[in-house]
Amino acid sequence: MSFTELGLSPKVLAAVEAAGYTTPTPIQEQAIPHVLQRRDVLGIAQTGTGKTAAFTLPMLTLLEKGRARARMPRTLILEPTRELAAQVQENFDRYGTNSGLSVALLIGGVSFGDQDAKITRGVDVLIATPGRLLDHVERGKLLLTGVELLVIDEADRMLDMGFIPDIERICKLVPFTRQTLFFTATMPSEIKRITDQFLHNPVQVEVSRPATAATTIIQALVHTRSGPPEKRITLRRLIRSAENLQNAIVFCNRKSEVAILHKSLVRHGFGAVALHGDMDQRSRMAALESFRNGEMSILVASDVAARGLDIPEVSHVFNFDVPVHADDYIHRIGRTGRAGRAGWAFTLVASADGKHVSAIEALTGNKIPFTGDPPPIEGDAEEEISERPRRGRRERGAKKDEGERSQRAKPRDARPAREPRPEREPRSEREPRPEREPKPRPEREPRPEREPRPEREPRPEREAEETPRAARHAPAPQQRPPEQQRPHRRRHDDDDGPVVIGLGDHVPSFLLNPIRRKSG
Ligand code: AMP
């Protein structure tokens, strides 16, 4: 089937051709004609299937008739995150160049004033995250009573992020007679309830996952010791010896780890950017853009920050942490091996990660092979010393160690790394030598990475991305439950920022590393 058979307007067809698309994807082929017939559509599809164009192209066609009125957008698209919202706007910019339509973005992190001004002039397409949209409605600057078409995108992710109450509220603010397009990758019962309530006799369109792991993604597990510094060494070695590496996403389970790892990679000379929920909007967009345009070749990200983003042609995925939820593994590795291209997915596995790996293997139905040798037994002091960069021979020594190991691994196409800067290393990498630390000192130098992790980890970034209103208005808990009270631990695993010791930013330098000072 070709695009010309779908019923799109000549203007939109010209834009599709200009974008270089020749054949509609299955979701486009199945959804577009129904959207143009004003039917409600329930699309079960994940990102990478071409679902964004499946709603933007027919919307552009439908919007050619009629014009926008002040404060009353004609169509509304809800996205769970700012990046996804911005990505949809890019789609409208790309396919709607000649349409003369006005598109506005309502997302957190952008000033209300500019957004208000645009809405007041009248918009054809309003793309919004739920919380920010409701803020504008409450301020009386925005009326949803003119919405003819409502798109709810990535609904299952909205559910994960606690946005369902906001979505229900918004659905009640738009006219009952509007057309609704609803996209979700999965159909948990809560989503089913919403679709039953808010879609009218929808056409259900379901497409399978894009290019699957089986044929195009080479997956491997890589043994690593469990501490973050050791994992960073393993990762650097892996990146340097990776075959055909063009660009890579490195996934971490926590946003705090994203920030630390990013700094570390940059310090070691890698062209890396970070993406996590606590970055401001401008830095997120800048990071993503420099990765997209190839200026930076490594993107360090959390699941939440990266999910759903349109990042084409990633050659490698590295899982710095084994994902706690097996379905995140599928999402992560789905970033590579797209459209029949070869892709590589490496997962760092420490001794405690076994059960998560088993869950992934159970979900995918495949045993993932290990590559390389298992590390020495944990706690082997000699090995630990040789792996850790030491004072005086810090960088040179560490690089030599790594270099020797990658030589043994016979790397091909190893990425040249710029010489690391000679300055101080991040604190997290300058751990004292084990033999010089006779007793653990939990009060001064907690080592959060060594603490046992909870069985099922929270996904802290979810709230930071765009906060559901219910959560924003909830009173702050006065006291944490007893099992969470840890007076000596100054930072939580899911706190932000790269600070690993607990004395904060204002510690006199002589206190920063007392053990090292004594020994030096
Ligand atoms: P999406 O699932 O909307 O995130 O789209 C995934 C990627 O597929 C994006 O990079 C689109 O630009 C691209 N794409 C969408 N439709 C087509 C098509 N018909 N042919 C080729 N690429 C497409």
Side-chain angles (χ1 to χ4, degrees):
M1 184 177 261
S2 83
F3 276 103
T4 50
E5 296 165 66
L6 299 178
L8 295 166
S9 70
K11 264 190 200 166
V12 173
L13 286 175
V16 168
E17 201 181 331
Y21 301 159
T22 49
T23 320
T25 65
I27 185 92
Q28 292 162 1
E29 189 180 313
Q30 293 174 57
I32 290 174
H34 295 298
V35 180
L36 291 171
Q37 284 160 16
R38 294 279 186 190
R39 290 284 304 272
D40 279 8
V41 172
L42 168 56
I44 303 175
Q46 65 176 41
T47 191
T49 54
K51 75 175 162 64
T52 317
F55 60 83
T56 51
L57 298 178
M59 279 176 76
L60 283 163
T61 297
L62 292 171
L63 286 165
E64 283 175 16
K65 291 198 190 93
R67 53 193 287 273
R69 283 188 288 165
R71 293 193 186 163
M72 293 175 72
R74 297 169 67 195
T75 61
L76 171 62
I77 300 171
L78 296 175
E79 294 288 339
T81 65
R82 302 164 187 187
E83 281 79 13
L84 282 167
Q87 213 163 277
V88 171
Q89 186 184 33
E90 278 168 25
N91 268 254
F92 276 99
D93 291 346
R94 191 184 320 156
Y95 309 128
T97 23
N98 302 319
S99 68
L101 295 175
S102 141
V103 179
L105 198 58
L106 285 193
I107 53 177
V110 177
S111 87
F112 275 90
D114 296 350
Q115 296 178 336
D116 276 345
K118 204 158 188 187
I119 291 167
T120 306
R121 284 197 296 274
V123 292
D124 296 286
V125 182
L126 183 61
I127 306 160
T129 49
R132 184 48 83 101
L133 180 88
L134 287 170
D135 286 345
H136 278 267
V137 171
E138 275 169 12
R139 287 153 44 97
K141 304 276 182 181
L142 173 64
L143 289 169
L144 297 182
T145 46
V147 171
E148 301 156 20
L149 184 147
L150 169 69
V151 179
I152 299 170
D153 195 18
E154 302 257 341
D156 49 351
R157 203 162 153 213
M158 302 258 201
L159 173 68
D160 279 354
M161 294 173 74
F163 277 137
I164 293 302
D166 289 354
I167 298 292
E168 292 188 86
R169 234 189 106 196
I170 294 165
C171 282
K172 288 172 186 162
L173 290 169
V174 295
F176 180 76
T177 50
R178 94 268 158 183
Q179 178 183 10
T180 309
L181 314 178
F182 191 100
F183 293 89
T184 181
T186 55
M187 278 298 274
S189 57
E190 185 68 356
I191 295 294
K192 174 91 177 61
R193 183 182 69 74
I194 297 288
T195 57
D196 288 347
Q197 191 181 350
F198 294 111
L199 297 185
H200 306 303
N201 189 23
V203 179
Q204 185 165 323
V205 173
E206 188 164 354
V207 298
S208 54
R209 292 180 188 285
T212 57
T215 49
T216 54
I217 304 175
I218 299 158
Q219 300 171 66
L221 305 178
V222 180
H223 291 287
T224 182
R225 296 169 68 97
S226 56
E230 288 85 353
K231 288 173 80 172
R232 287 194 286 273
I233 291 172
T234 309
L235 179 73
R236 291 199 295 272
R237 203 185 305 152
L238 202 56
I239 295 175
R240 289 191 178 117
S241 62
E243 289 183 36
N244 305 324
L245 193 146
Q246 271 133 41
N247 56 357
I249 305 184
V250 182
F251 283 102
C252 301
N253 288 356
R254 297 178 182 81
K255 61 187 171 188
S256 54
E257 194 64 58
V258 170
I260 295 170
L261 180 59
H262 167 238
K263 280 198 169 178
S264 163
L265 285 170
V266 170
R267 213 170 283 265
H268 281 270
F270 293 93
V273 286
L275 201 64
H276 60 77
D278 275 1
M279 289 163 65
D280 66 51
Q281 183 61 10
R282 189 184 294 224
S283 338
R284 290 205 242 180
M285 296 305 228
L288 205 50
E289 189 46 38
S290 63
F291 185 68
R292 277 208 192 107
N293 67 23
E295 203 183 307
M296 294 291 178
S297 57
I298 298 174
L299 174 70
V300 189
S302 60
D303 294 286
V304 172
R307 199 186 283 187
L309 291 182
D310 180 16
I311 305 164
E313 298 189 37
V314 176
S315 71
H316 284 65
V317 166
F318 296 101
N319 292 317
F320 184 76
D321 300 307
V322 180
V324 175
H325 304 282
D327 57 339
D328 281 337
Y329 179 81
I330 310 250
H331 286 290
R332 289 180 181 187
I333 69 164
R335 294 292 171 173
T336 185
R338 285 193 172 179
R341 291 184 208 98
W344 286 263
F346 291 99
T347 303
L348 269 55
V349 179
S351 52
D353 295 326
K355 68 170 187 280
H356 297 316
V357 172
S358 304
I360 290 165
E361 291 178 335
L363 183 73
T364 58
N366 283 319
K367 187 115 186 94
I368 311 168
F370 268 99
T371 182
D373 299 329
I377 295 157
E378 299 270 337
D380 177 338
E382 280 307 308
E383 181 62 22
E384 198 155 314
I385 294 161
S386 74
E387 282 266 311
R388 278 188 187 149
R390 269 196 239 162
R391 208 174 174 199
R393 59 180 281 277
R394 247 177 356 219
E395 271 312 311
R396 207 161 22 89
K399 274 187 77 75
K400 187 162 164 277
D401 287 345
E402 285 178 39
E404 282 165 5
R405 282 181 175 79
S406 20
Q407 287 266 321
R408 267 183 256 138
K410 292 194 175 59
R412 274 185 280 159
D413 298 333
R415 295 189 68 78
R418 277 181 272 129
E419 270 308 298
R421 285 166 33 196
E423 295 101 278
R424 292 157 66 96
E425 290 181 14
R427 287 207 52 79
S428 51
E429 300 223 353
R430 289 187 295 120
E431 295 199 358
R433 291 168 56 182
E435 71 276 21
R436 300 237 166 121
E437 192 180 31
K439 285 185 214 144
R441 303 172 56 143
E443 300 215 350
R444 286 223 167 156
E445 297 204 1
R447 299 171 64 169
E449 66 274 17
R450 290 278 162 100
E451 291 185 10
R453 292 176 182 179
E455 268 297 284
R456 189 172 167 87
E457 294 177 23
R459 298 180 173 185
E461 298 94 334
R462 291 217 159 124
E463 277 159 37
E465 285 271 298
E466 282 288 327
T467 315
R469 291 169 62 81
R472 276 194 269 158
H473 296 302
Q478 292 302 304
Q479 204 174 5
R480 297 157 68 202
E483 71 277 11
Q484 288 183 1
Q485 289 179 0
R486 311 176 77 161
H488 297 305
R489 207 175 139 214
R490 291 164 187 87
R491 299 187 71 85
H492 293 283
D493 285 348
D494 41 356
D495 279 352
D496 342 334
V499 182
V500 173
I501 64 158
L503 294 169
D505 293 335
H506 306 291
V507 183
S509 60
F510 67 87
L511 272 180
L512 280 173
N513 196 352
I515 296 166
R516 194 178 291 283
R517 262 191 182 266
K518 259 190 255 158
S519 67

